[in-house]
Amino acid sequence: MSTWRRLDPRLHLAAAIGWAVFVVITLAALAAAQAAAGAVERRARDDTSRLLTQFAIQVRQTLAQALETRRSVLQATAAQILASSDRDSAGLRRHLEAVQQQFPEFSWLGLADGGGRVIAAAGGRLEGEDVSMLGWFVQGRLQPLLGAAVRPPPGGTGPARVIDLAVPLTRADGRQIGVLGAQLAWAWIDRLQGDLLQSLNASQQLELLVTGQGGLVLVGPPALLGQKLPPEADLSGAGAYQVGQHAGHHDGDGGLGWTVVVRQDTTTALASAHAARRWVFFTVLLAGLVAAAAAVAITRLLTRRLGLLAAQAQALQRGQRLALALPPGRDEVSRIGATLAEVLGHLQQEKQALQVLNTELDQRVAERTARIERLADDARRAAVTRERLRLARELHDTLAHSLMALLTQIRLVRKLRTRLADGELEAELARAEEVAATGLADARTAITAMRRSKVGDDGLGPALQELLARFSERCGVAATLQATPAAAGLANERAETVFRIVEEALRNVERHAGARTVQLSLAERGDEAAGPVGGHIAAAPAAGAGVPERLRLQLIDDGVGFDVAQPRPGHFGLAGMQEQAALIGAQLRISSQHGQGSRLTLDFET
């Protein structure tokens, strides 16, 4: 356990220095190993790429030479046919069959006349058929042809690769009498490229990829056969292969324009590089560990006197010593010891002064604590008062109106019960019951509003939109909302108070104004021209960041209007709105005249 404590950098400076040196040397070793291994790997990649490129050149040259030899055979056969006097179909067929027997890689040989009809073919295949639309005949009439293609097989089991050869039959006078065509079996190409790879190096595990003109894959993995690779195609498989390639030229290889790519698995190609990387890494890391261990030992030796000084300081702290023994010498450790001894003397003097000061501070803290408790009591009483006022406004806005209407209805029934018929009395009682139900619904709505803050959850804009929708549905009054997106995003306690003011104002419009339309706007002060979003009830914009500091809310109706200056005993709606506006420091103005509607303007800060 003591050994581990000596290695804890939090307890011993020597351990901290040793660990720091260890980390630095280890990181340097890792960086050196990475750099050396990277250099070895890059060199191995370059060497492998050059070797594979040489393999590709050899493969392509051998393939081109073999194909050029077969085209020369076809040209010699055409010259023999022109020089021969035996021009009937049977004689020509025998001549072609003899050539096929000598060169079995020709899967088909045939002679077509100038009109494109096959007059003779090895084995009689396609004799008498019209080949005037086939590519080898069309191009063979113009010049000797050597071309590769991938065609759908007759059975539809996979792509069929063929090599077409064709030479024109032209007399000495320049008159063309036909085209000699041939097809090379692709199995011969497969055998040829397999022998080439085997002869290069069987232990290299090489993979051959041959593409024709336009990037058409002729030799390669089955998944790529018949596909066209773009020029920028990654043949390395995202680094899985090392690639060497050689592209052909049309003039030098009879028009094939093949590109030969030789690939080798990266793991196999770079096996030696990876082994060198591991060797370099572990060698440098081992050297770093040895250097770090030596650094720890040397550090412990050099910091021994500092450790003794620290042990004395701890004994002094525990009360086991009364003074420090100054370490000998003139270095940093000696100066630290002298400084500590001087500091200890000052601390003893200051300790007594601190005791006196602590006594004074305790008295001050006790006084401040009592004062804070008194302020807290005052704050709690103010909060209770505000909550009572809010509950009074809620009860006035919901239950008081309904109870007043119910009381009026009951008094009317009592006064006229002897004059009313049974049906009229029943109707009055039904209206009284409806008023009571409405009051109960309003009370439940108020309770729901107290328990859940629509404004705090969705923002002032969406809450006002929903309020107008319910108002319009309940009263049949056309209501529109005009709001800027920034203002509609307000969702704090002030927004909740503004919502309550609008709610009371709409309740007054519903009960007293007899209005047909109501317009509500909310915008930054000085920017009240924001137009309605459209529809019977305007869609309030979504809440967003960046709410302006100064907003203005206006509510306009086209109702009967009223005299603002005339007092209304027993009605506390306007007074309640003024009280709520005062709570948030807002300015509330109401203007109205008989027959000209009413306008409510609320200026407040967010």
Side-chain angles (χ1 to χ4, degrees):
M1 184 65 181
S2 60
T3 302
W4 291 112
R5 287 180 60 84
R6 286 197 297 268
L7 294 177
D8 191 344
R10 298 170 297 179
L11 303 178
H12 299 282
L13 179 61
I17 296 176
W19 283 116
V21 173
F22 173 80
V23 171
V24 171
I25 294 178
T26 303
L27 291 178
L30 290 175
Q34 184 68 21
V40 172
E41 184 172 348
R42 286 192 298 272
R43 182 173 179 178
R45 286 181 184 273
D46 294 340
D47 293 343
T48 303
S49 180
R50 285 193 294 270
L51 180 61
L52 294 178
T53 301
Q54 291 296 327
F55 287 168
I57 293 174
Q58 295 179 31
V59 171
R60 195 186 179 288
Q61 289 177 348
T62 303
L63 289 175
Q65 183 178 2
L67 292 173
E68 186 61 30
T69 300
R70 271 58 185 179
R71 184 168 62 177
S72 299
V73 169
L74 193 65
Q75 289 177 332
T77 303
Q80 293 176 4
I81 291 175
L82 288 174
S84 175
S85 59
D86 188 5
R87 299 289 184 83
D88 62 333
S89 297
L92 292 174
R93 186 185 312 112
R94 288 192 299 272
H95 188 76
L96 295 178
E97 290 174 348
V99 174
Q100 188 179 39
Q101 185 176 4
Q102 186 176 2
F103 298 94
E105 57 268 21
F106 285 112
S107 61
W108 182 80
L109 285 166
L111 178 63
D113 58 17
R117 187 177 64 85
V118 179
I119 59 178
R125 187 159 60 94
L126 298 182
E127 282 191 9
E129 296 188 15
D130 185 7
V131 295
S132 61
M133 301 302 293
L134 297 182
W136 64 266
F137 178 81
V138 175
Q139 298 182 39
R141 295 181 62 185
L142 304 177
Q143 60 184 1
L145 167 69
L146 175 60
V150 178
R151 298 170 182 162
T157 58
R161 297 163 290 171
V162 297
I163 298 179
D164 292 329
L165 297 90
V167 294
L169 296 178
T170 307
R171 293 180 176 177
D173 58 0
R175 180 170 174 266
Q176 189 180 90
I177 63 174
V179 175
L180 177 62
Q183 287 184 356
L184 284 172
W186 198 265
W188 171 71
I189 295 292
D190 290 336
R191 288 195 302 273
L192 183 60
Q193 60 94 8
D195 294 340
L196 289 173
L197 290 180
Q198 186 69 22
S199 64
L200 290 175
N201 194 336
S203 64
Q204 294 292 324
Q205 301 180 4
L206 302 179
E207 182 179 291
L208 185 64
L209 187 69
V210 178
T211 61
Q213 298 184 25
L216 185 67
V217 178
L218 303 174
V219 175
L224 296 178
L225 288 179
Q227 298 186 14
K228 287 190 176 182
L229 298 179
E232 66 276 5
D234 181 17
L235 300 178
S236 68
Y241 294 93
Q242 295 296 301
V243 178
Q245 65 180 24
H246 179 64
H249 304 284
H250 299 298
D251 296 336
D253 57 12
L256 275 178
W258 283 5
T259 297
V260 176
V261 178
V262 179
R263 305 194 306 183
Q264 185 179 14
D265 179 62
T266 299
T267 303
T268 303
L270 302 180
S272 60
H274 294 161
R277 175 193 288 270
R278 290 191 295 271
W279 183 86
V280 171
F281 174 81
F282 287 112
T283 300
V284 178
L285 182 59
L286 180 59
L289 292 175
V290 173
V296 172
I298 295 173
T299 301
R300 285 185 56 83
L301 180 61
L302 295 176
T303 57
R304 182 173 178 273
R305 290 190 305 137
L306 186 60
L308 294 176
L309 182 61
Q312 293 184 40
Q314 290 178 349
L316 185 63
Q317 181 184 14
R318 292 192 295 266
Q320 299 173 356
R321 293 179 63 94
L322 299 178
L324 290 175
L326 297 180
R330 294 181 297 175
D331 58 3
E332 290 84 354
V333 177
S334 300
R335 292 196 293 270
I336 290 174
T339 303
L340 285 177
E342 184 179 356
V343 169
L344 287 175
H346 290 298
L347 288 177
Q348 294 294 337
Q349 297 175 2
E350 294 176 355
K351 183 176 181 181
Q352 297 177 355
L354 285 175
Q355 291 177 352
V356 176
L357 181 60
N358 286 335
T359 303
E360 296 178 356
L361 288 177
D362 289 340
Q363 295 176 356
R364 295 181 183 179
V365 168
E367 295 175 357
R368 294 289 177 89
T369 302
R371 182 178 179 185
I372 290 173
E373 290 177 353
R374 289 195 299 272
L375 292 176
D377 292 338
D378 294 341
R380 283 192 292 270
R381 285 193 294 271
V384 170
T385 301
R386 287 195 298 269
E387 185 64 17
R388 287 174 177 173
L389 290 175
R390 187 183 68 82
L391 292 175
R393 288 193 296 269
E394 293 293 341
L395 291 175
H396 166 265
D397 294 342
T398 56
L399 199 57
H401 288 291
S402 299
L403 291 177
M404 184 178 295
L406 181 60
L407 180 60
T408 302
Q409 196 75 19
I410 293 174
R411 288 175 177 173
L412 180 62
V413 170
R414 289 182 60 189
K415 185 178 293 185
L416 301 177
R417 66 181 183 275
T418 57
R419 305 178 186 177
L420 296 176
D422 292 341
E424 292 176 345
L425 181 59
E426 183 65 26
E428 292 297 335
L429 292 176
R431 280 194 290 271
E433 182 180 0
E434 182 181 355
V435 170
T438 303
L440 179 60
D442 289 342
R444 288 175 176 173
T445 302
I447 293 172
T448 302
M450 292 179 188
R451 296 177 64 87
R452 178 181 180 272
S453 175
K454 179 69 175 177
V455 178
D457 295 340
D458 302 332
L460 182 57
L464 291 176
Q465 177 189 3
E466 182 177 340
L467 178 63
L468 286 178
R470 294 198 306 268
F471 170 78
S472 180
E473 182 180 357
R474 185 173 62 252
C475 305
V477 177
T480 58
L481 174 62
Q482 302 173 357
T484 59
L490 184 62
N492 55 17
E493 295 181 359
R494 292 176 177 269
E496 183 74 30
T497 303
V498 172
F499 179 83
R500 297 303 177 192
I501 293 174
V502 174
E503 190 175 37
E504 176 61 23
L506 289 177
R507 194 174 288 113
N508 290 337
V509 172
E510 177 182 355
R511 292 169 178 167
H512 309 296
R516 296 185 302 276
T517 62
V518 171
Q519 297 179 358
L520 179 62
S521 64
L522 177 64
E524 185 175 3
R525 202 175 308 175
D527 187 25
E528 293 83 12
V533 184
H536 177 60
I537 295 180
V547 178
E549 295 182 358
R550 298 160 58 88
L551 296 178
R552 169 167 291 178
L553 180 139
Q554 287 188 333
L555 179 66
I556 304 173
D557 67 75
D558 60 353
V560 298
F562 65 98
D563 186 358
V564 179
Q566 181 178 357
R568 290 172 172 77
H571 294 275
F572 303 99
L574 297 181
M577 288 190 291
Q578 291 289 357
E579 290 176 358
Q580 293 188 84
L583 285 176
I584 60 174
Q587 296 181 359
L588 177 65
R589 299 185 302 275
I590 301 176
S591 59
S592 178
Q593 293 183 6
H594 289 289
Q596 297 184 9
S598 302
R599 176 190 297 267
L600 180 147
T601 303
L602 181 69
D603 293 333
F604 62 97
E605 296 182 356
T606 60

